Every structure is written in structure tokens, then in C-alpha cells.
Amino acid sequence: MYIEMTDETGQVSVQMQEQITDLLQFAAEKIGKQNKEMAVTFVDNARVHEVNLAYRGIDRPTDVVSLEYKPESEIIFDEEDLLDNPELAEMMEDFDAYIGELYISIDKAREQAEDYGHSYEREMGFLAVHGFLHINGYDHYTPEEEAEMFGLQEEILTAYGLTRE
């Protein structure tokens, strides 16, 4: 998986960026998305507030904004077309490698790490995996979706070694 990493704050260490990249690679392997591309941008609360308002219409800062890329192929071909033609589905999977981007607030990560009583590294990892799952179609609007998504994210974090302390 290719991950473009940007630190707008100048406060995220190279080591932390490498750990997040490695964790997202691990998560991609876990859900079969190794051949994809995404972007991660570390921001402060003011910037994540702007992004949250612009893209989600929510006028407050948040911990992570996940922007899932919807490829044009989804407009051209519906799911039935792709099921009926596995070669076309494989070709479109390769063609539409970019899956989306995350904006992670390092301010919120610090606040929440303290609030939840675990490390900043754990919280940054949690936010990265949480956002990554969102841009791969996972959600938590219903109890069933929440159980699936939260279970998978905990499984990934634990298997990677970022457990709650």
C-alpha cells in the first residue's frame, strides 16, 4: 500500500509517521487492500474543524475526518455488472487504487489519550485504523456495523501490538 503522509503541524515525529505507515500497511493486509493508495495528513484542531465543516457540514473539531474516494467506475458499472464480469471487476480494482484520505487531529489525539488513560501512540494508531476502516466502507451507524467495525479495529490494533495500557 502506498501512503502519502503530510504533517501540517510539524509536531509528528518521523518515528510516529513510520509507525502509522507500518500500522496502516498491516491493516491493509488484514482486509486485503495491499494494492491501494491513500493520504494521511496530521493537523491541529483549527484545521480539522475547517475540514469537518467543509466536507461533513459539522461546525466543530473532531479527532479524525475520513474522506472515502468514490471512483467513477462505481458510477459507470453497478455491482451486478462487476459480479457478472470478474475480469472487469479485477481491472477496475486495479484502476481505482486511490481509496481516500484521513485528517488526524494531533490535538484531539493528545486530549483523548489523556482522557482514556492510554498512550498518545495508541490513540494515534486507533485514529489511523478507525479512519482507514471508514475509507474502506466500514461504519458504525447500527449496532451490527459498530460491532463489526470496532471488533476489527481492536483486532488489528492488538495484533499489531498497540494494546490499551
Side-chain angles (χ1 to χ4, degrees), residues 2-164:
Y2 173 76
I3 303 167
E4 181 179 316
M5 188 100 27
T6 304
D7 177 15
E8 291 185 2
T9 70
Q11 298 178 41
V12 180
S13 70
V14 170
Q15 179 184 359
M16 174 65 73
Q17 291 181 46
E18 289 172 352
Q19 181 176 354
I20 296 296
T21 298
D22 190 50
L23 173 60
L24 291 172
Q25 298 274 4
F26 182 82
E29 289 175 22
K30 189 85 168 155
I31 66 168
K33 299 287 184 169
Q34 305 91 303
N35 298 324
K36 298 298 181 179
E37 300 175 12
M38 65 178 291
V40 176
T41 304
F42 299 104
V43 297
D44 60 17
N45 275 349
R47 177 76 169 112
V48 83
H49 186 163
E50 290 172 9
V51 173
N52 205 23
L53 182 58
Y55 290 99
R56 298 179 62 222
I58 299 173
D59 192 11
R60 63 175 170 78
T62 189
D63 50 10
V64 60
V65 174
S66 309
L67 303 176
E68 180 182 3
Y69 173 66
K70 300 278 190 188
E72 288 186 26
S73 65
E74 289 185 11
I75 298 166
I76 299 168
F77 305 105
D78 65 18
E79 191 172 326
E80 194 171 299
D81 293 330
L82 297 176
L83 288 173
D84 291 341
N85 188 335
E87 294 85 15
L88 176 62
E90 186 176 331
M91 181 181 79
M92 294 315 297
E93 181 77 13
D94 291 340
F95 178 74
D96 292 320
Y98 189 75
I99 56 174
E101 58 191 299
L102 306 179
Y103 289 85
I104 298 175
S105 169
I106 65 164
D107 297 333
K108 284 285 186 185
R110 285 190 181 109
E111 292 169 23
Q112 291 175 178
E114 188 173 316
D115 290 347
Y116 300 136
H118 56 239
S119 70
Y120 173 68
E121 290 77 16
R122 161 71 187 199
E123 188 63 21
M124 290 286 279
F126 172 87
L127 295 176
V129 170
H130 187 85
F132 173 77
L133 291 176
H134 272 307
I135 65 173
N136 280 287
Y138 291 86
D139 236 317
H140 46 87
Y141 292 118
T142 68
E144 296 80 18
E145 289 175 339
E146 182 176 330
E148 179 184 17
M149 182 177 176
F150 285 31
L152 181 56
Q153 91 191 359
E154 192 58 39
E155 181 182 327
I156 290 167
L157 290 165
T158 299
Y160 185 79
L162 277 178
T163 57
R164 294 176 192 234

